[in-house]
Amino acid sequence: MTSTSRSSTPSLQYCSKTVDDVVSELTTDLSKGLTNTADITYRRSIYGINELTHDDDENLVLKFFATFYGDPLILLLVGSAVISFVMGNIDDAISITVAVFIVVTVGFVQEYRSEKSLDALTKLVPAEAHLTRNGLTETVLASMLVPGDLVHFSVGDRVPADVRLVEAVHLAIDESNLTGELNPVHKSVEPLDENKGNSISDRASIAFMGTLVRDGHGTGIVIGTGHNTAFGQVFEMLSDIEKPKTPLQHSMDKLGKDLSLYSFVIIGIICLIGVIQGRSWLDMFQISVSLAVAAIPEGLPIIVTVTLALGVLRMAKKRAIVKRLPSVETLGSVNVICSDKTGTLTQNHMTASKLWTPSMNDNYLILDKNSTHSGELTADIRTVLEVGNICNNARFSTEKDKFVGNPTDIALVEALSQFQLEDIRGTRQRLNELPFSSTRKYMAVTSHQGDISKSEVFAKGAVERILKLSNTFINQNGTTQKLTEENRKFIIEMSNVLALDGLRILAFAKGKGSFEDGVEPSGLSFCGLMGISDPPRPSVSKSIAKLIKGGVHVIMITGDSESTAVNIAKSIGMPINDVSKSVMIGEKLDQMSEEAISEAIQFVSIFARTSPEHKVSIVKALQRRGDIVAMTGDGVNDAPALKLADIGISMGNMGTDVAKEAADMVLTDDDFSTILSAIQEGKGIFYNIQNFLTFQLSTSIAALSLIAISTFLKLPNPLNPMQILWINILMDGPPAQSLGVEPVDEEVMNRPPRSRQDKILTLALLKRCVRSALIIVFGTIFCYVREIKDNVITSRDTTMTFTCFVFFDMFNALTCRNNTKSIFSLGLENSFFNLAVGCSLLAQMAVIYVGFLQRIFQTEALSFHDILFLLCISSSVFWIDEAFKYYKRYNMQFQSSV
C-alpha cells in the first residue's frame, strides 16, 4: 500500500504529536477526561459508534439464485434439463437438476463462509473499556467511546480503541494479531520523529484497538474509533476486496461457452441435412435437440466437485486445510509464491548460533544445540551465559513442558544446556528492571543472592548501547581490564563479522551495585557477544529448488533488514544474482505506483523492511502482470492481501482467526514445504480433471455420432432408451469419478504453471477425444452392421451393439488414466479405478445374463465367443491410444536429445 493510504487513520497523525498537543487538539483533560455531555453526543454523531459493522442486507435466497447467473456451463445444463423434461426424458431432467443444485450449493456455502473473516475481525474489539469522564472512572461499553475520551488498560486487557498514550508504565502490548510480529512491543509516551511511523510497528506512542496488554499498564486518549482505526482500515479493505475467480472457474466458463457453440452447430447441421432428406422440420428439431442434450456431459460439474473434494481430503492428510474447493486446482496454476520469512521459511525458533568474548580476538565459538561445549567453558564465556540467563524473562511452562516468552530470551536459556549449566534465576532475587524498548535498545535488571548489599546489574541489548554503559571488559580468567577506544572499535568490527550470516547480535555486560528507576546503569564490564538466529527449515531448500524447476517464482517478504534477508535467502537456495534488482525495501514501494511495481517486480526475490500493509500492493502488482499468486500471512493486517491473492495461505499455529478466515488454505504445521505438496496435488488434480473430461467427451461424441450416423443412414436405432441411459450412468458414474483420484504423478512439478487464460478443453485434448470417439463409433457400427445382415433387429443385435459400446467405454477409461504414460508403467495403483471398472463390467454382465434385467434392458445372453469377439474389437481403442502415447514419448525424447 502507499503511504497515502496508511495515513488515512489518525494513528500516523498523532504518533508524532506531544501529549499536550493531543490534549489541546481533542479538547480533553488528562485527569478528568471529557466533561461536556453535549460535546460527547456531538462527537458520536460525527464519528459513529465504536464498532466494526458491515452492510449485508442481501437476501440469502436471492444470493443463492444469483450464483446461477454468469456461469455458462450451469445455464446450459439448466436449459438441457428443461428441454429433457419437455421432451419426456424425465430421468435425464432429474439427474441434471440434482447435479446443478449440488454444485451451486457447494459453491454458495464456501463463498458465504469466506465472508466470515469480517465477523472474526469484529470479535477482536473488546466489549468493555475502563473510562474516565467528568473525573469519574468506571467500566462502560467500548462502543460508547468517542475521540478525546480518557481510557485505562492493564495486563490482560484489550485496547478498546486507537489511543495516543499519555502514561506507559512498563507497558508491553502484543500486536501480533495486527502486524504478525510475535514479540510484544514496548510502548512509550514520547512522540515519534515526524519522519518515522510509516509502519504500524514503529508507532510506539500509539496503542491499537484489539491488541492485548502483556505487561505493565497505561492510559491513553482515544484518537480513533470504529472504522477510523487500524483494525477499521483492514475491515474496510476486506469489505471492498472481491475474491478473484480461480483458473478452473475461468476454464469451466470457457468450456460452457464452447459446448454451447458446439451444440448449436450440431443442431443446425443435423436439421439442415434432415430437411434436405425430406423429413419434417418438427421431427428434425426434436432429434437435433435430443442429440445436443446427449452431447452435454451433465455429470461433469458434480464430478469436478467430487474430485476437488477428494483432493481436499488428501491435502488435509499432508497438513494443508483447503477451505474453498476450486482453490485446490488453483494451486496447480500458481506461478508466484510470496512467503513470510519467520516461521514459514524458518523454524520460528530462535537459536544461539555464535558466541564471542574479547579474549577470543578474531575467532568465535560456533554453537550447536546437538553438541556439548562444556570443555570450552572459560570464565568469560560463563559470564556471558550468566548475564543472558539472569537478564531474562522467559519462564518454564509445566503445561506446555517448555520455555515460553520472548523467543530471544528462550534461546539464551536453552543455550545453557550446551555448556551443562543450569538456570540459576531461582537462586537469586530480582530487585528492579529496565525493560527493553525500541528507544532504549537494551534491558537491564538488578538482582542478588540474599544480600542486597551485594547486588549486581546485568544488561543485554544492542552493541552500541551496551558499550556506552561499559568502561571495562572481562578477560578469559574473569578479571577486568579498561575498555579503550581501540577495544570498542574492535568489538563493533566483530559484531559486524558475526552478523554477516544474518544473525541478530546481542551484547552483554554486568557490574556491581544497582540503579534507580528511570536512571541508566553505568560503569559496567563488557562481557561478550552472542549471535541469535532463526534457522531455515531443513526441507525448505529442496522445496524451493523443485518450485523453481517447475516455473514458480518464490518471493520472500520480511520486516528484517536487507542484509539479514539476503543471507537467509542464500541459505535456502533462492537465486540472488544482483542485489540491486533482486531486493526491494518497503520505503521504495511507498514511492512507486502499481504500474511501476508491476514492471520492476519480475526481477525481485526479496521485499525487506516491509509491513504487512505492503502485501496488498505486491499482490496487485503481480496480478496486473497476469500472475497467479499465492500469499502467506498470519496477522490481521495480512487478511486483505490473503483475500485478494488467488490463494491466501494462513499459518495454523501462529495465524490469527481473521487471517485463517480470509485465507483459502491453512497450513497446520506452518511449514513452507507443505505448500509444495499442495501445489503438486493441485497440478495433479487439473490433469485428472482433463483425463475424465477426455473420457466423458469422447464417450459423448461417440454416443452422439452413433445415433446421428444411424439416423443419416436411415438405419434403425442401435440402442434403446434404457441402454442409452445405462451408458450415461457409466459415463458420468464411478469409472469417470475414479479418474479424478488418479495418484499424482511426480513429473507434474516439471511442467510449468498454466496461464489464467488457458482453456481446460485444449486442442490436443479435443483431438484425442475425437480420435477415441471415431474408433468407438466405427467399431460399434461394424459390430452393429455385422449383426443385422438380415435387416431384422433382434435382442441379440442390440445386446451385441450395446455391450460392444460398453466395453469400448471401459477400455477408453483405461487409456484416459494418463495422457502420456503407458498404462503398463502406471500399474494398478488406482484401486478406486480398478474397483469402479470391475463393478461396471460385473453390472454389464448382470444386464446380459440376469433374467429380470434382460427384460428391462431388452437383452439376451451372449456366448463366450461373443464376449471374446467384443473384447478384441473394443480393445482397439486401448492399443491405438498406446501407440500414439509411445510415438509422443519417442518424439519428445528425440527432440530433447537434439
Side-chain angles (χ1 to χ4, degrees):
M1 292 188 57
T2 63
S3 55
T4 302
S5 61
R6 290 204 307 278
S7 65
S8 59
T9 56
S11 59
L12 182 60
Q13 175 187 353
Y14 285 101
C15 67
S16 58
K17 292 181 181 291
T18 65
V19 172
D20 291 338
D21 289 341
V22 176
V23 171
S24 174
E25 191 167 326
L26 293 176
T27 321
T28 188
D29 187 276
L30 283 179
S31 58
K32 296 182 180 181
L34 295 176
T35 56
N36 189 321
T37 303
D39 180 43
I40 294 171
T41 304
Y42 173 74
R43 296 187 188 204
R44 187 172 296 115
S45 69
I46 295 296
Y47 298 103
I49 59 175
N50 184 34
E51 290 181 351
L52 298 178
T53 58
H54 63 100
D55 297 327
D56 191 13
D57 298 328
E58 188 175 354
N59 187 283
L60 286 180
V61 176
L62 294 178
K63 288 183 70 174
F64 174 76
F65 283 104
T67 57
F68 285 84
Y69 307 146
D71 190 332
L73 184 58
I74 295 297
L75 293 175
L76 183 61
L77 291 174
V78 170
S80 301
V82 172
I83 294 173
S84 297
F85 181 80
V86 171
M87 299 190 66
N89 299 327
I90 305 300
D91 292 333
D92 281 351
I94 293 175
S95 63
I96 295 171
T97 303
V98 170
V100 168
F101 266 89
I102 291 176
V103 173
V104 172
T105 301
V106 169
F108 170 74
V109 171
Q110 290 166 344
E111 291 300 324
Y112 178 76
R113 282 180 53 84
S114 71
E115 297 304 319
K116 291 299 180 181
S117 56
L118 296 174
D119 296 333
L121 192 55
T122 62
K123 293 177 182 178
L124 293 173
V125 182
E128 297 179 335
H130 306 296
L131 170 68
T132 295
R133 278 183 187 167
N134 293 311
L136 299 175
T137 301
E138 57 184 342
T139 301
V140 300
L141 292 175
S143 60
M144 304 306 293
L145 297 180
V146 297
D149 270 328
L150 191 67
V151 293
H152 317 273
F153 30 84
S154 56
V155 175
D157 291 338
R158 286 199 181 273
V159 181
D162 279 9
V163 303
R164 171 61 168 89
L165 294 171
V166 298
E167 181 186 19
V169 180
H170 300 316
L171 181 62
I173 297 181
D174 180 355
E175 297 179 349
S176 60
N177 58 7
L178 182 63
T179 65
E181 295 297 327
L182 299 179
N183 295 333
V185 179
H186 294 273
K187 295 295 184 176
S188 167
V189 301
E190 298 301 320
L192 268 67
D193 188 291
E194 290 186 358
N195 296 323
K196 296 182 179 180
N198 280 339
S199 173
I200 282 179
S201 56
D202 291 337
R203 301 171 196 172
S205 59
I206 303 293
F208 298 98
M209 180 172 72
T211 56
L212 182 65
V213 178
R214 289 292 190 190
D215 193 17
H217 59 86
T219 299
I221 297 173
V222 174
I223 57 173
T225 59
H227 292 268
N228 208 26
T229 61
F231 268 115
Q233 185 181 36
V234 176
F235 190 93
E236 292 290 338
M237 293 171 63
L238 275 175
S239 301
D240 294 339
I241 289 174
E242 182 178 351
K243 190 70 184 177
K245 277 192 172 184
T246 68
L248 179 61
Q249 288 169 327
H250 281 291
S251 296
M252 296 304 288
D253 286 348
K254 292 178 181 177
L255 178 58
K257 293 174 183 177
D258 291 343
L259 289 178
S260 300
L261 176 62
Y262 300 151
S263 298
F264 287 128
V265 169
I266 290 171
I267 289 173
I269 292 175
I270 293 180
C271 274
L272 181 61
I273 294 177
V275 171
I276 292 174
Q277 289 180 340
R279 303 190 183 192
S280 71
W281 277 98
L282 181 60
D283 289 342
M284 289 315 305
F285 176 77
Q286 290 178 334
I287 292 173
S288 301
V289 171
S290 299
L291 292 176
V293 171
I296 300 170
E298 63 268 14
L300 178 60
I302 191 61
I303 296 179
V304 170
T305 302
V306 170
T307 300
L308 295 176
L310 292 174
V312 166
L313 294 177
R314 287 197 301 271
M315 291 172 67
K317 295 178 181 179
K318 297 179 181 179
R319 300 177 296 279
I321 308 300
V322 178
K323 297 166 56 185
R324 297 174 66 242
L325 286 186
S327 301
V328 181
E329 187 276 329
T330 307
L331 283 160
S333 304
V334 166
N335 66 330
V336 179
I337 297 178
C338 297
S339 174
D340 281 330
K341 175 184 74 68
T342 305
T344 307
L345 297 174
T346 62
Q347 297 180 23
N348 195 27
H349 187 88
M350 303 301 286
T351 304
S353 301
K354 295 178 181 178
L355 189 151
W356 177 86
T357 63
S359 60
M360 293 181 181
N361 296 319
D362 55 358
N363 297 315
Y364 52 83
L365 181 62
I366 298 177
L367 304 181
D368 183 357
K369 64 180 180 180
N370 297 319
S371 304
T372 178
H373 301 282
S374 55
E376 301 167 274
L377 185 62
T378 56
D380 53 347
I381 292 178
R382 181 187 291 271
T383 304
V384 171
L385 296 169
E386 180 186 64
V387 175
N389 182 196
I390 297 172
C391 190
N392 195 306
N393 287 327
R395 60 182 178 83
F396 188 80
S397 170
T398 54
E399 181 181 345
K400 298 183 178 180
D401 195 30
K402 63 179 181 180
F403 282 98
V404 295
N406 185 292
T408 300
D409 283 352
I410 295 173
L412 295 176
V413 176
E414 290 178 343
L416 296 173
S417 61
Q418 298 182 38
F419 296 86
Q420 297 184 350
L421 298 176
E422 298 292 333
D423 185 352
I424 62 173
R425 285 177 293 174
T427 66
R428 306 182 70 90
Q429 183 177 342
R430 182 180 291 191
L431 290 179
N432 53 10
E433 173 188 345
L434 276 178
F436 180 90
S437 70
S438 57
T439 53
R440 188 180 293 117
K441 294 185 178 180
Y442 72 90
M443 171 188 177
V445 300
T446 300
S447 73
H448 60 82
Q449 291 180 296
D451 186 351
I452 195 170
S453 64
K454 295 183 179 179
S455 296
E456 293 178 292
V457 177
F458 302 86
K460 74 174 190 292
V463 179
E464 294 82 359
R465 296 294 290 133
I466 296 298
L467 283 176
K468 187 178 180 181
L469 305 178
S470 306
N471 56 18
T472 60
F473 69 89
I474 295 179
N475 285 316
Q476 185 173 0
N477 56 12
T479 60
T480 59
Q481 185 176 332
K482 184 179 179 181
L483 192 64
T484 65
E485 191 63 31
E486 185 178 345
N487 296 143
R488 294 176 187 273
K489 289 181 179 179
F490 184 68
I491 290 171
I492 292 175
E493 287 179 8
M494 285 306 301
S495 72
N496 293 332
V497 170
L498 295 180
L500 287 177
D501 292 333
L503 304 184
R504 179 189 179 192
I505 307 302
L506 286 178
F508 302 86
K510 64 177 292 188
K512 296 181 178 181
S514 62
F515 55 84
E516 300 294 330
D517 285 343
V519 180
E520 285 192 345
S522 60
L524 303 183
S525 295
F526 180 85
C527 302
L529 305 172
M530 195 176 292
I532 310 293
S533 68
D534 184 5
R537 290 182 180 268
S539 55
V540 165
S541 297
K542 292 181 179 179
S543 299
I544 288 180
K546 288 183 178 180
L547 287 169
I548 293 174
K549 185 178 180 181
V552 180
H553 181 197
V554 180
I555 297 176
M556 177 198 295
I557 302 178
T558 177
D560 284 339
S561 66
E562 182 178 335
S563 59
T564 300
V566 169
N567 282 307
I568 290 292
K570 289 181 177 179
S571 69
I572 59 177
M574 290 180 65
I576 308 296
N577 300 320
D578 186 349
V579 174
S580 63
K581 290 184 178 180
S582 299
V583 183
M584 186 178 291
I585 61 175
E587 292 181 3
K588 189 174 181 181
L589 270 176
D590 293 332
Q591 299 166 5
M592 299 171 66
S593 64
E594 288 185 6
E595 292 80 4
I597 298 174
S598 297
E599 293 178 6
I601 209 168
Q602 59 181 316
F603 305 106
V604 178
S605 296
I606 297 173
F607 286 97
R609 291 293 185 195
T610 58
S611 69
E613 298 161 292
H614 288 118
K615 290 187 175 183
V616 172
S617 292
I618 295 170
V619 173
K620 286 183 177 179
L622 289 166
Q623 290 179 335
R624 181 184 291 272
R625 297 177 60 241
D627 293 318
I628 298 175
V629 186
M631 171 69 73
T632 71
D634 49 22
V636 169
N637 250 21
D638 295 331
L642 292 176
K643 185 176 180 181
L644 179 63
D646 297 281
I647 290 290
I649 303 172
S650 174
M651 304 299 108
N653 294 326
M654 306 307 299
T656 61
D657 289 341
V658 178
K660 292 175 185 177
E661 289 289 350
D664 304 290
M665 183 171 77
V666 178
L667 304 183
T668 59
D669 57 358
D670 293 8
D671 190 348
F672 181 85
S673 301
T674 305
I675 301 176
L676 173 67
S677 300
I679 288 179
Q680 184 170 319
E681 186 71 39
K683 282 191 172 185
I685 284 174
F686 172 73
Y687 291 113
N688 283 350
I689 290 174
Q690 281 196 320
N691 288 340
F692 70 65
L693 181 61
T694 303
F695 169 68
Q696 284 199 310
L697 288 183
S698 57
T699 304
S700 293
I701 294 171
L704 171 65
S705 302
L706 181 63
I707 297 172
I709 291 173
S710 299
T711 302
F712 295 155
L713 297 179
K714 298 183 179 181
L715 295 173
N717 197 332
L719 303 172
N720 63 48
M722 286 304 299
Q723 292 170 352
I724 294 174
L725 176 61
W726 178 250
I727 290 172
N728 282 334
I729 291 173
L730 292 181
M731 181 184 72
D732 297 329
Q737 293 181 15
S738 66
L739 292 172
V741 295
E742 188 72 26
V744 176
D745 187 350
E746 292 185 1
E747 290 185 6
V748 299
M749 289 307 298
N750 297 329
R751 303 178 188 177
R754 66 188 187 91
S755 168
R756 193 187 301 272
Q757 284 74 38
D758 286 353
K759 294 182 178 181
I760 195 168
L761 186 61
T762 63
L763 181 60
L765 186 150
L766 193 57
K767 286 180 178 178
R768 190 181 180 201
C769 289
V770 172
R771 183 180 70 233
S772 297
L774 288 175
I775 297 170
I776 295 172
V777 168
F778 287 130
T780 306
I781 288 181
F782 170 76
C783 178
Y784 181 51
V785 172
R786 178 176 176 269
E787 292 298 320
I788 60 170
K789 291 180 180 178
D790 54 1
N791 294 322
V792 178
I793 300 297
T794 65
S795 295
R796 171 184 165 77
D797 299 337
T798 56
T799 302
M800 285 288 287
T801 307
F802 171 42
T803 306
C804 182
F805 194 97
V806 170
F807 282 2
F808 263 121
D809 215 18
M810 295 301 101
F811 277 111
N812 187 33
L814 183 63
T815 66
C816 290
R817 285 182 58 194
N818 194 287
N819 66 343
T820 56
K821 282 190 173 182
S822 169
I823 300 305
F824 299 106
S825 63
L826 289 177
L828 302 175
E829 291 182 21
N830 190 344
S831 57
F832 186 16
F833 176 86
N834 302 333
L835 180 64
V837 171
C839 290
S840 296
L841 290 174
L842 287 175
Q844 180 65 22
M845 293 299 103
V847 166
I848 297 173
Y849 296 108
V850 176
F852 78 94
L853 290 176
Q854 287 179 336
R855 290 189 295 273
I856 294 173
F857 288 91
Q858 299 177 21
T859 58
E860 67 177 49
L862 300 177
S863 68
F864 174 76
H865 290 94
D866 289 333
I867 298 294
L868 187 62
F869 169 74
L870 293 176
L871 287 174
C872 290
I873 291 180
S874 58
S875 65
S876 60
V877 70
F878 169 77
W879 296 114
I880 293 174
D881 193 77
E882 283 289 307
F884 271 97
K885 288 178 182 177
Y886 176 79
Y887 172 76
K888 188 175 181 180
R889 292 194 303 272
Y890 176 81
N891 195 38
M892 290 173 62
Q893 292 175 357
F894 177 77
Q895 289 179 352
S896 60
S897 63
V898 173

